Amino acid sequence: MSELIKVAAINDISGSSRCSITVALPILSAFGLQCCVLPTAVLSNHTGYEKYFFDDYTDKMDNFTDKWKEQGLKFGCIYSGFLGSREQIDITRRFFDTFRDDTTKILVDPVMGDDGEIYLTYTPELCEEMKELVCCADVVTPNVTEACILSGIKYTGEEVTPAQAQQMADKIYSLGAKNIIITGVKRGGKS
């Protein structure tokens, strides 16, 4: 019997929202993958809401990493999502360096905002730091807002044409990402 492929999921746990680990875990499990969760925060709901409870896990993340190193865990994929601080971006970069081998795929979902708005937990400096993390990725999955932030292209709120999406992807590619999938693109008023 072959061992399950492990996916390290560096992301938050949002209690009342269909996002983050609450969505990723069952999907990865349904595909026969073992999801190893490295929580970045526990939230009452995601940060797109005006009010939320935010329990920052920055000071606990290295403890997970240390134990996983001791156990000799190997990951077929490392996926990062919501990161709540510059320190978490640094921790995630170190995690990539520690656990990546020749076969490990890195997926970065640069959770920074939506609908043209940056989440309240993000600063312009943190958005710049995310560009450094994106350069480590095999696959980057920004939504349109995040693609605008990463590419430096102004968000207009209008439908994105294929040429505009390609321009954003090219700029993100120039940061060092190998593959870019822009999510949430609306065509004919539908996502």
Side-chain angles (χ1 to χ4, degrees), residues 104-135:
T104 308
K105 299 297 180 200
I106 304 288
L107 186 146
V108 173
D109 181 2
V111 179
M112 298 184 289
D114 205 359
D115 295 323
E117 300 291 326
I118 296 174
Y119 293 139
L120 297 175
T121 56
Y122 263 75
T123 63
E125 295 78 25
L126 198 52
C127 291
E128 286 300 311
E129 286 294 319
M130 185 57 76
K131 290 179 183 179
E132 295 297 319
L133 190 64
V134 162
C135 76

PDB file of all heavy atoms in Angstrom, residues 104-135:
ATOM      1  N   THR A 104       8.435  18.441  -4.748  1.00  0.00           N
ATOM      2  CA  THR A 104       7.415  19.214  -4.043  1.00  0.00           C
ATOM      3  C   THR A 104       6.932  20.384  -4.894  1.00  0.00           C
ATOM      4  O   THR A 104       7.735  21.139  -5.436  1.00  0.00           O
ATOM      5  CB  THR A 104       7.968  19.770  -2.713  1.00  0.00           C
ATOM      6  OG1 THR A 104       8.534  18.703  -1.969  1.00  0.00           O
ATOM      7  CG2 THR A 104       6.878  20.437  -1.898  1.00  0.00           C
ATOM      8  N   LYS A 105       5.632  20.525  -4.995  1.00  0.00           N
ATOM      9  CA  LYS A 105       5.032  21.664  -5.681  1.00  0.00           C
ATOM     10  C   LYS A 105       4.614  22.695  -4.640  1.00  0.00           C
ATOM     11  O   LYS A 105       4.100  22.358  -3.585  1.00  0.00           O
ATOM     12  CB  LYS A 105       3.803  21.246  -6.500  1.00  0.00           C
ATOM     13  CG  LYS A 105       4.119  20.248  -7.591  1.00  0.00           C
ATOM     14  CD  LYS A 105       5.067  20.842  -8.612  1.00  0.00           C
ATOM     15  CE  LYS A 105       5.383  19.832  -9.691  1.00  0.00           C
ATOM     16  NZ  LYS A 105       6.604  20.175 -10.412  1.00  0.00           N
ATOM     17  N   ILE A 106       4.836  23.961  -4.965  1.00  0.00           N
ATOM     18  CA  ILE A 106       4.456  25.068  -4.085  1.00  0.00           C
ATOM     19  C   ILE A 106       3.326  25.850  -4.744  1.00  0.00           C
ATOM     20  O   ILE A 106       3.458  26.313  -5.877  1.00  0.00           O
ATOM     21  CB  ILE A 106       5.648  26.033  -3.833  1.00  0.00           C
ATOM     22  CG1 ILE A 106       6.862  25.292  -3.278  1.00  0.00           C
ATOM     23  CG2 ILE A 106       5.225  27.197  -2.946  1.00  0.00           C
ATOM     24  CD1 ILE A 106       6.752  24.823  -1.864  1.00  0.00           C
ATOM     25  N   LEU A 107       2.212  25.989  -4.017  1.00  0.00           N
ATOM     26  CA  LEU A 107       1.084  26.778  -4.484  1.00  0.00           C
ATOM     27  C   LEU A 107       0.881  27.930  -3.493  1.00  0.00           C
ATOM     28  O   LEU A 107       0.764  27.691  -2.295  1.00  0.00           O
ATOM     29  CB  LEU A 107      -0.190  25.931  -4.550  1.00  0.00           C
ATOM     30  CG  LEU A 107      -1.401  26.627  -5.152  1.00  0.00           C
ATOM     31  CD1 LEU A 107      -2.258  25.629  -5.909  1.00  0.00           C
ATOM     32  CD2 LEU A 107      -2.229  27.363  -4.134  1.00  0.00           C
ATOM     33  N   VAL A 108       0.869  29.145  -4.002  1.00  0.00           N
ATOM     34  CA  VAL A 108       0.639  30.325  -3.167  1.00  0.00           C
ATOM     35  C   VAL A 108      -0.667  30.978  -3.606  1.00  0.00           C
ATOM     36  O   VAL A 108      -0.806  31.392  -4.755  1.00  0.00           O
ATOM     37  CB  VAL A 108       1.804  31.344  -3.264  1.00  0.00           C
ATOM     38  CG1 VAL A 108       1.462  32.639  -2.530  1.00  0.00           C
ATOM     39  CG2 VAL A 108       3.090  30.740  -2.717  1.00  0.00           C
ATOM     40  N   ASP A 109      -1.604  31.021  -2.667  1.00  0.00           N
ATOM     41  CA  ASP A 109      -2.833  31.791  -2.857  1.00  0.00           C
ATOM     42  C   ASP A 109      -2.618  33.073  -2.059  1.00  0.00           C
ATOM     43  O   ASP A 109      -2.685  33.052  -0.833  1.00  0.00           O
ATOM     44  CB  ASP A 109      -4.041  31.020  -2.338  1.00  0.00           C
ATOM     45  CG  ASP A 109      -5.354  31.770  -2.542  1.00  0.00           C
ATOM     46  OD1 ASP A 109      -5.338  32.880  -3.119  1.00  0.00           O
ATOM     47  OD2 ASP A 109      -6.391  31.248  -2.114  1.00  0.00           O
ATOM     48  N   PRO A 110      -2.329  34.177  -2.739  1.00  0.00           N
ATOM     49  CA  PRO A 110      -1.960  35.413  -2.029  1.00  0.00           C
ATOM     50  C   PRO A 110      -3.183  36.152  -1.488  1.00  0.00           C
ATOM     51  O   PRO A 110      -3.603  37.171  -2.019  1.00  0.00           O
ATOM     52  CB  PRO A 110      -1.253  36.232  -3.107  1.00  0.00           C
ATOM     53  CG  PRO A 110      -1.930  35.810  -4.372  1.00  0.00           C
ATOM     54  CD  PRO A 110      -2.295  34.352  -4.185  1.00  0.00           C
ATOM     55  N   VAL A 111      -3.743  35.636  -0.438  1.00  0.00           N
ATOM     56  CA  VAL A 111      -4.991  36.162   0.126  1.00  0.00           C
ATOM     57  C   VAL A 111      -4.746  37.566   0.686  1.00  0.00           C
ATOM     58  O   VAL A 111      -4.220  37.720   1.781  1.00  0.00           O
ATOM     59  CB  VAL A 111      -5.524  35.214   1.224  1.00  0.00           C
ATOM     60  CG1 VAL A 111      -6.803  35.761   1.820  1.00  0.00           C
ATOM     61  CG2 VAL A 111      -5.724  33.818   0.666  1.00  0.00           C
ATOM     62  N   MET A 112      -5.107  38.587  -0.105  1.00  0.00           N
ATOM     63  CA  MET A 112      -4.854  39.976   0.295  1.00  0.00           C
ATOM     64  C   MET A 112      -6.087  40.860   0.213  1.00  0.00           C
ATOM     65  O   MET A 112      -6.128  41.912   0.836  1.00  0.00           O
ATOM     66  CB  MET A 112      -3.752  40.586  -0.583  1.00  0.00           C
ATOM     67  CG  MET A 112      -2.419  39.895  -0.472  1.00  0.00           C
ATOM     68  SD  MET A 112      -1.133  40.721  -1.452  1.00  0.00           S
ATOM     69  CE  MET A 112      -1.638  40.329  -3.115  1.00  0.00           C
ATOM     70  N   GLY A 113      -7.074  40.462  -0.593  1.00  0.00           N
ATOM     71  CA  GLY A 113      -8.246  41.313  -0.750  1.00  0.00           C
ATOM     72  C   GLY A 113      -9.215  40.753  -1.766  1.00  0.00           C
ATOM     73  O   GLY A 113      -8.983  39.695  -2.342  1.00  0.00           O
ATOM     74  N   ASP A 114     -10.287  41.494  -1.987  1.00  0.00           N
ATOM     75  CA  ASP A 114     -11.307  41.080  -2.944  1.00  0.00           C
ATOM     76  C   ASP A 114     -12.157  42.291  -3.321  1.00  0.00           C
ATOM     77  O   ASP A 114     -12.215  43.266  -2.572  1.00  0.00           O
ATOM     78  CB  ASP A 114     -12.188  39.987  -2.327  1.00  0.00           C
ATOM     79  CG  ASP A 114     -12.841  39.098  -3.368  1.00  0.00           C
ATOM     80  OD1 ASP A 114     -12.637  39.310  -4.579  1.00  0.00           O
ATOM     81  OD2 ASP A 114     -13.561  38.168  -2.969  1.00  0.00           O
ATOM     82  N   ASP A 115     -12.771  42.237  -4.458  1.00  0.00           N
ATOM     83  CA  ASP A 115     -13.658  43.309  -4.939  1.00  0.00           C
ATOM     84  C   ASP A 115     -12.971  44.682  -4.907  1.00  0.00           C
ATOM     85  O   ASP A 115     -13.602  45.689  -4.566  1.00  0.00           O
ATOM     86  CB  ASP A 115     -14.960  43.333  -4.139  1.00  0.00           C
ATOM     87  CG  ASP A 115     -15.785  42.070  -4.338  1.00  0.00           C
ATOM     88  OD1 ASP A 115     -15.801  41.557  -5.477  1.00  0.00           O
ATOM     89  OD2 ASP A 115     -16.396  41.600  -3.358  1.00  0.00           O
ATOM     90  N   GLY A 116     -11.693  44.711  -5.211  1.00  0.00           N
ATOM     91  CA  GLY A 116     -10.960  45.972  -5.272  1.00  0.00           C
ATOM     92  C   GLY A 116     -10.496  46.509  -3.936  1.00  0.00           C
ATOM     93  O   GLY A 116      -9.866  47.562  -3.878  1.00  0.00           O
ATOM     94  N   GLU A 117     -10.775  45.812  -2.853  1.00  0.00           N
ATOM     95  CA  GLU A 117     -10.410  46.267  -1.506  1.00  0.00           C
ATOM     96  C   GLU A 117      -9.382  45.340  -0.880  1.00  0.00           C
ATOM     97  O   GLU A 117      -9.518  44.118  -0.940  1.00  0.00           O
ATOM     98  CB  GLU A 117     -11.651  46.301  -0.600  1.00  0.00           C
ATOM     99  CG  GLU A 117     -12.747  47.231  -1.077  1.00  0.00           C
ATOM    100  CD  GLU A 117     -12.368  48.696  -0.983  1.00  0.00           C
ATOM    101  OE1 GLU A 117     -11.635  49.064  -0.046  1.00  0.00           O
ATOM    102  OE2 GLU A 117     -12.798  49.470  -1.855  1.00  0.00           O
ATOM    103  N   ILE A 118      -8.371  45.930  -0.251  1.00  0.00           N
ATOM    104  CA  ILE A 118      -7.392  45.151   0.509  1.00  0.00           C
ATOM    105  C   ILE A 118      -8.002  44.847   1.869  1.00  0.00           C
ATOM    106  O   ILE A 118      -8.638  45.711   2.478  1.00  0.00           O
ATOM    107  CB  ILE A 118      -6.070  45.942   0.666  1.00  0.00           C
ATOM    108  CG1 ILE A 118      -5.435  46.163  -0.712  1.00  0.00           C
ATOM    109  CG2 ILE A 118      -5.106  45.211   1.592  1.00  0.00           C
ATOM    110  CD1 ILE A 118      -4.203  47.047  -0.683  1.00  0.00           C
ATOM    111  N   TYR A 119      -7.822  43.603   2.346  1.00  0.00           N
ATOM    112  CA  TYR A 119      -8.341  43.232   3.657  1.00  0.00           C
ATOM    113  C   TYR A 119      -7.710  44.101   4.737  1.00  0.00           C
ATOM    114  O   TYR A 119      -6.562  44.539   4.613  1.00  0.00           O
ATOM    115  CB  TYR A 119      -8.079  41.754   3.957  1.00  0.00           C
ATOM    116  CG  TYR A 119      -8.846  40.804   3.066  1.00  0.00           C
ATOM    117  CD1 TYR A 119      -8.248  39.668   2.559  1.00  0.00           C
ATOM    118  CD2 TYR A 119     -10.184  41.040   2.743  1.00  0.00           C
ATOM    119  CE1 TYR A 119      -8.954  38.787   1.748  1.00  0.00           C
ATOM    120  CE2 TYR A 119     -10.889  40.164   1.937  1.00  0.00           C
ATOM    121  CZ  TYR A 119     -10.265  39.046   1.438  1.00  0.00           C
ATOM    122  OH  TYR A 119     -10.964  38.184   0.636  1.00  0.00           O
ATOM    123  N   LEU A 120      -8.455  44.329   5.801  1.00  0.00           N
ATOM    124  CA  LEU A 120      -8.008  45.212   6.884  1.00  0.00           C
ATOM    125  C   LEU A 120      -6.715  44.745   7.541  1.00  0.00           C
ATOM    126  O   LEU A 120      -5.981  45.554   8.105  1.00  0.00           O
ATOM    127  CB  LEU A 120      -9.110  45.340   7.937  1.00  0.00           C
ATOM    128  CG  LEU A 120     -10.412  45.990   7.473  1.00  0.00           C
ATOM    129  CD1 LEU A 120     -11.465  45.940   8.578  1.00  0.00           C
ATOM    130  CD2 LEU A 120     -10.170  47.415   7.022  1.00  0.00           C
ATOM    131  N   THR A 121      -6.420  43.456   7.485  1.00  0.00           N
ATOM    132  CA  THR A 121      -5.204  42.926   8.100  1.00  0.00           C
ATOM    133  C   THR A 121      -3.962  43.190   7.249  1.00  0.00           C
ATOM    134  O   THR A 121      -2.849  42.952   7.713  1.00  0.00           O
ATOM    135  CB  THR A 121      -5.333  41.405   8.328  1.00  0.00           C
ATOM    136  OG1 THR A 121      -5.625  40.783   7.076  1.00  0.00           O
ATOM    137  CG2 THR A 121      -6.404  41.093   9.347  1.00  0.00           C
ATOM    138  N   TYR A 122      -4.147  43.661   6.029  1.00  0.00           N
ATOM    139  CA  TYR A 122      -3.018  43.872   5.119  1.00  0.00           C
ATOM    140  C   TYR A 122      -2.619  45.334   5.032  1.00  0.00           C
ATOM    141  O   TYR A 122      -3.466  46.223   5.031  1.00  0.00           O
ATOM    142  CB  TYR A 122      -3.347  43.334   3.716  1.00  0.00           C
ATOM    143  CG  TYR A 122      -2.792  41.950   3.521  1.00  0.00           C
ATOM    144  CD1 TYR A 122      -3.398  40.861   4.118  1.00  0.00           C
ATOM    145  CD2 TYR A 122      -1.622  41.732   2.807  1.00  0.00           C
ATOM    146  CE1 TYR A 122      -2.883  39.589   3.993  1.00  0.00           C
ATOM    147  CE2 TYR A 122      -1.094  40.471   2.679  1.00  0.00           C
ATOM    148  CZ  TYR A 122      -1.723  39.403   3.268  1.00  0.00           C
ATOM    149  OH  TYR A 122      -1.187  38.146   3.148  1.00  0.00           O
ATOM    150  N   THR A 123      -1.325  45.546   4.943  1.00  0.00           N
ATOM    151  CA  THR A 123      -0.751  46.871   4.750  1.00  0.00           C
ATOM    152  C   THR A 123      -0.084  46.885   3.381  1.00  0.00           C
ATOM    153  O   THR A 123       0.191  45.823   2.810  1.00  0.00           O
ATOM    154  CB  THR A 123       0.323  47.158   5.823  1.00  0.00           C
ATOM    155  OG1 THR A 123       1.399  46.209   5.651  1.00  0.00           O
ATOM    156  CG2 THR A 123      -0.252  47.062   7.232  1.00  0.00           C
ATOM    157  N   PRO A 124       0.229  48.069   2.858  1.00  0.00           N
ATOM    158  CA  PRO A 124       0.980  48.114   1.595  1.00  0.00           C
ATOM    159  C   PRO A 124       2.313  47.366   1.696  1.00  0.00           C
ATOM    160  O   PRO A 124       2.734  46.700   0.742  1.00  0.00           O
ATOM    161  CB  PRO A 124       1.196  49.621   1.369  1.00  0.00           C
ATOM    162  CG  PRO A 124       0.037  50.264   2.064  1.00  0.00           C
ATOM    163  CD  PRO A 124      -0.209  49.413   3.278  1.00  0.00           C
ATOM    164  N   GLU A 125       2.963  47.429   2.865  1.00  0.00           N
ATOM    165  CA  GLU A 125       4.236  46.730   3.053  1.00  0.00           C
ATOM    166  C   GLU A 125       4.042  45.214   2.983  1.00  0.00           C
ATOM    167  O   GLU A 125       4.862  44.493   2.407  1.00  0.00           O
ATOM    168  CB  GLU A 125       4.875  47.109   4.403  1.00  0.00           C
ATOM    169  CG  GLU A 125       5.285  48.557   4.517  1.00  0.00           C
ATOM    170  CD  GLU A 125       4.122  49.524   4.788  1.00  0.00           C
ATOM    171  OE1 GLU A 125       3.082  49.091   5.345  1.00  0.00           O
ATOM    172  OE2 GLU A 125       4.229  50.703   4.397  1.00  0.00           O
ATOM    173  N   LEU A 126       2.956  44.747   3.572  1.00  0.00           N
ATOM    174  CA  LEU A 126       2.664  43.314   3.551  1.00  0.00           C
ATOM    175  C   LEU A 126       2.362  42.845   2.122  1.00  0.00           C
ATOM    176  O   LEU A 126       2.776  41.748   1.718  1.00  0.00           O
ATOM    177  CB  LEU A 126       1.498  43.001   4.489  1.00  0.00           C
ATOM    178  CG  LEU A 126       1.299  41.563   4.925  1.00  0.00           C
ATOM    179  CD1 LEU A 126       2.565  40.947   5.497  1.00  0.00           C
ATOM    180  CD2 LEU A 126       0.181  41.490   5.957  1.00  0.00           C
ATOM    181  N   CYS A 127       1.690  43.667   1.356  1.00  0.00           N
ATOM    182  CA  CYS A 127       1.428  43.340  -0.051  1.00  0.00           C
ATOM    183  C   CYS A 127       2.742  43.231  -0.825  1.00  0.00           C
ATOM    184  O   CYS A 127       2.896  42.338  -1.670  1.00  0.00           O
ATOM    185  CB  CYS A 127       0.519  44.388  -0.686  1.00  0.00           C
ATOM    186  SG  CYS A 127      -1.176  44.368  -0.055  1.00  0.00           S
ATOM    187  N   GLU A 128       3.689  44.111  -0.538  1.00  0.00           N
ATOM    188  CA  GLU A 128       5.006  44.031  -1.185  1.00  0.00           C
ATOM    189  C   GLU A 128       5.735  42.759  -0.789  1.00  0.00           C
ATOM    190  O   GLU A 128       6.396  42.122  -1.616  1.00  0.00           O
ATOM    191  CB  GLU A 128       5.856  45.267  -0.852  1.00  0.00           C
ATOM    192  CG  GLU A 128       5.435  46.519  -1.579  1.00  0.00           C
ATOM    193  CD  GLU A 128       5.504  46.387  -3.090  1.00  0.00           C
ATOM    194  OE1 GLU A 128       6.548  45.917  -3.615  1.00  0.00           O
ATOM    195  OE2 GLU A 128       4.513  46.745  -3.761  1.00  0.00           O
ATOM    196  N   GLU A 129       5.640  42.381   0.486  1.00  0.00           N
ATOM    197  CA  GLU A 129       6.270  41.143   0.960  1.00  0.00           C
ATOM    198  C   GLU A 129       5.667  39.923   0.272  1.00  0.00           C
ATOM    199  O   GLU A 129       6.359  38.941   0.018  1.00  0.00           O
ATOM    200  CB  GLU A 129       6.126  41.006   2.475  1.00  0.00           C
ATOM    201  CG  GLU A 129       7.019  41.922   3.262  1.00  0.00           C
ATOM    202  CD  GLU A 129       8.495  41.599   3.101  1.00  0.00           C
ATOM    203  OE1 GLU A 129       8.863  40.404   3.097  1.00  0.00           O
ATOM    204  OE2 GLU A 129       9.280  42.550   2.980  1.00  0.00           O
ATOM    205  N   MET A 130       4.369  39.979  -0.017  1.00  0.00           N
ATOM    206  CA  MET A 130       3.719  38.860  -0.696  1.00  0.00           C
ATOM    207  C   MET A 130       4.347  38.637  -2.071  1.00  0.00           C
ATOM    208  O   MET A 130       4.450  37.496  -2.529  1.00  0.00           O
ATOM    209  CB  MET A 130       2.211  39.106  -0.813  1.00  0.00           C
ATOM    210  CG  MET A 130       1.450  37.931  -1.406  1.00  0.00           C
ATOM    211  SD  MET A 130       1.651  36.358  -0.527  1.00  0.00           S
ATOM    212  CE  MET A 130       0.607  36.654   0.896  1.00  0.00           C
ATOM    213  N   LYS A 131       4.786  39.698  -2.714  1.00  0.00           N
ATOM    214  CA  LYS A 131       5.461  39.539  -4.010  1.00  0.00           C
ATOM    215  C   LYS A 131       6.709  38.681  -3.870  1.00  0.00           C
ATOM    216  O   LYS A 131       7.055  37.921  -4.776  1.00  0.00           O
ATOM    217  CB  LYS A 131       5.820  40.906  -4.588  1.00  0.00           C
ATOM    218  CG  LYS A 131       4.633  41.710  -5.047  1.00  0.00           C
ATOM    219  CD  LYS A 131       5.061  43.056  -5.595  1.00  0.00           C
ATOM    220  CE  LYS A 131       3.866  43.892  -5.984  1.00  0.00           C
ATOM    221  NZ  LYS A 131       4.254  45.220  -6.488  1.00  0.00           N
ATOM    222  N   GLU A 132       7.396  38.788  -2.726  1.00  0.00           N
ATOM    223  CA  GLU A 132       8.584  37.976  -2.476  1.00  0.00           C
ATOM    224  C   GLU A 132       8.214  36.505  -2.306  1.00  0.00           C
ATOM    225  O   GLU A 132       8.963  35.621  -2.719  1.00  0.00           O
ATOM    226  CB  GLU A 132       9.329  38.480  -1.237  1.00  0.00           C
ATOM    227  CG  GLU A 132       9.896  39.875  -1.382  1.00  0.00           C
ATOM    228  CD  GLU A 132      10.948  39.961  -2.475  1.00  0.00           C
ATOM    229  OE1 GLU A 132      11.784  39.039  -2.588  1.00  0.00           O
ATOM    230  OE2 GLU A 132      10.926  40.962  -3.227  1.00  0.00           O
ATOM    231  N   LEU A 133       7.069  36.240  -1.691  1.00  0.00           N
ATOM    232  CA  LEU A 133       6.639  34.860  -1.511  1.00  0.00           C
ATOM    233  C   LEU A 133       6.179  34.260  -2.835  1.00  0.00           C
ATOM    234  O   LEU A 133       6.461  33.093  -3.131  1.00  0.00           O
ATOM    235  CB  LEU A 133       5.511  34.789  -0.476  1.00  0.00           C
ATOM    236  CG  LEU A 133       5.134  33.385  -0.013  1.00  0.00           C
ATOM    237  CD1 LEU A 133       6.306  32.716   0.716  1.00  0.00           C
ATOM    238  CD2 LEU A 133       3.916  33.438   0.887  1.00  0.00           C
ATOM    239  N   VAL A 134       5.507  35.054  -3.635  1.00  0.00           N
ATOM    240  CA  VAL A 134       5.012  34.595  -4.930  1.00  0.00           C
ATOM    241  C   VAL A 134       6.153  34.095  -5.812  1.00  0.00           C
ATOM    242  O   VAL A 134       5.993  33.127  -6.553  1.00  0.00           O
ATOM    243  CB  VAL A 134       4.212  35.735  -5.611  1.00  0.00           C
ATOM    244  CG1 VAL A 134       4.032  35.511  -7.090  1.00  0.00           C
ATOM    245  CG2 VAL A 134       2.863  35.902  -4.916  1.00  0.00           C
ATOM    246  N   CYS A 135       7.306  34.708  -5.684  1.00  0.00           N
ATOM    247  CA  CYS A 135       8.430  34.303  -6.534  1.00  0.00           C
ATOM    248  C   CYS A 135       8.907  32.885  -6.225  1.00  0.00           C
ATOM    249  O   CYS A 135       9.606  32.284  -7.027  1.00  0.00           O
ATOM    250  CB  CYS A 135       9.576  35.310  -6.449  1.00  0.00           C
ATOM    251  SG  CYS A 135      10.555  35.222  -4.941  1.00  0.00           S
TER     252      CYS A 135
END
